[in-house]
Amino acid sequence: MTEEFSDDSPHDDDAPVQEPRLWKGNGWTARVIKNEDDEGWAVAMIKDGEPEPALVGPWTMGRDKKNPKPLDTNAFNTLVKTAAEVLRRHEQQLHAMLHKSTVVSHEGAEIKVTLDIVPDDEHPYALLAAIDEDGERIAQVRIPANFKLTPASATAWVENDFRNPS
């Protein structure tokens, strides 16, 4: 699928478009494209303002078995819902990768230890923090982004009086 996703046609960006192979509305563009890998068609869902599609999937052939089935309201709404769910899951996965936490016991108290990775292109780093039972931050250090937060590493950090573990 090697089709350009830009659309340089002069029209109102907010106006809905409802063509057989191109629909725009609700912050999304659905574009039916030729699948270069085989004889079929695909549909690309692009969120407004994004350079790449959030979702590309197979598209149904029309009755003539050569051309794609035209987009319609129900198909577009389903595609918008599916593409939005893909983006939501991607954001959840990214959040889970960048924000981790564990709880350790120390001197009779529960301490929540968090790791927040800052994915800077040139100098990524992470913030390791300790939070007491009242929700107050009691320590924070800047550490390498590749630090592995485990219950054992959190316990070692707490027991070492919150000194930088690196």
Side-chain angles (χ1 to χ4, degrees), residues 114-132:
T114 63
L115 178 72
D116 294 304
I117 298 172
V118 180
D120 184 282
D121 286 338
E122 294 180 29
H123 305 288
Y125 65 93
L127 296 174
L128 187 63
I131 301 160
D132 68 15

Side-chain angles (χ1 to χ4, degrees), residues 20 25-26 31 34 51 54 63 69 80 96 102 112 124 135 153 157 161:
N26 300 335
R31 185 182 307 273
K34 182 75 174 128
R63 291 179 191 233
K69 180 180 166 185
V80 166
T102 190
K112 180 178 180 180
S153 66
W157 179 57
D161 295 324

Side-chain angles (χ1 to χ4, degrees), residues 21-39:
R21 295 187 190 176
L22 175 69
W23 275 54
K24 291 185 177 190
N26 300 335
W28 290 90
T29 298
R31 185 182 307 273
V32 176
I33 55 177
K34 182 75 174 128
N35 186 344
E36 300 297 333
D37 297 336
D38 66 20
E39 304 276 323

Side-chain angles (χ1 to χ4, degrees), residues 9-23:
S9 57
H11 54 73
D12 181 4
D13 285 340
D14 294 333
V17 175
Q18 296 180 346
E19 298 173 5
R21 295 187 190 176
L22 175 69
W23 275 54

Side-chain angles (χ1 to χ4, degrees), residues 69-137:
K69 180 180 166 185
L71 288 164
D72 61 29
T73 301
N74 289 337
F76 182 73
N77 290 338
T78 299
L79 288 165
V80 166
K81 182 178 177 182
T82 303
E85 179 66 17
V86 166
L87 287 183
R88 188 181 70 76
R89 287 184 183 175
H90 176 74
E91 289 167 359
Q92 286 176 332
Q93 180 184 15
L94 182 60
H95 185 270
M97 286 174 41
L98 298 177
H99 306 284
K100 300 182 185 303
S101 69
T102 190
V103 176
V104 298
S105 293
H106 181 69
E107 297 178 355
E110 298 287 310
I111 298 175
K112 180 178 180 180
V113 178
T114 63
L115 178 72
D116 294 304
I117 298 172
V118 180
D120 184 282
D121 286 338
E122 294 180 29
H123 305 288
Y125 65 93
L127 296 174
L128 187 63
I131 301 160
D132 68 15
E133 293 172 317
D134 295 327
E136 296 292 322
R137 183 170 47 206

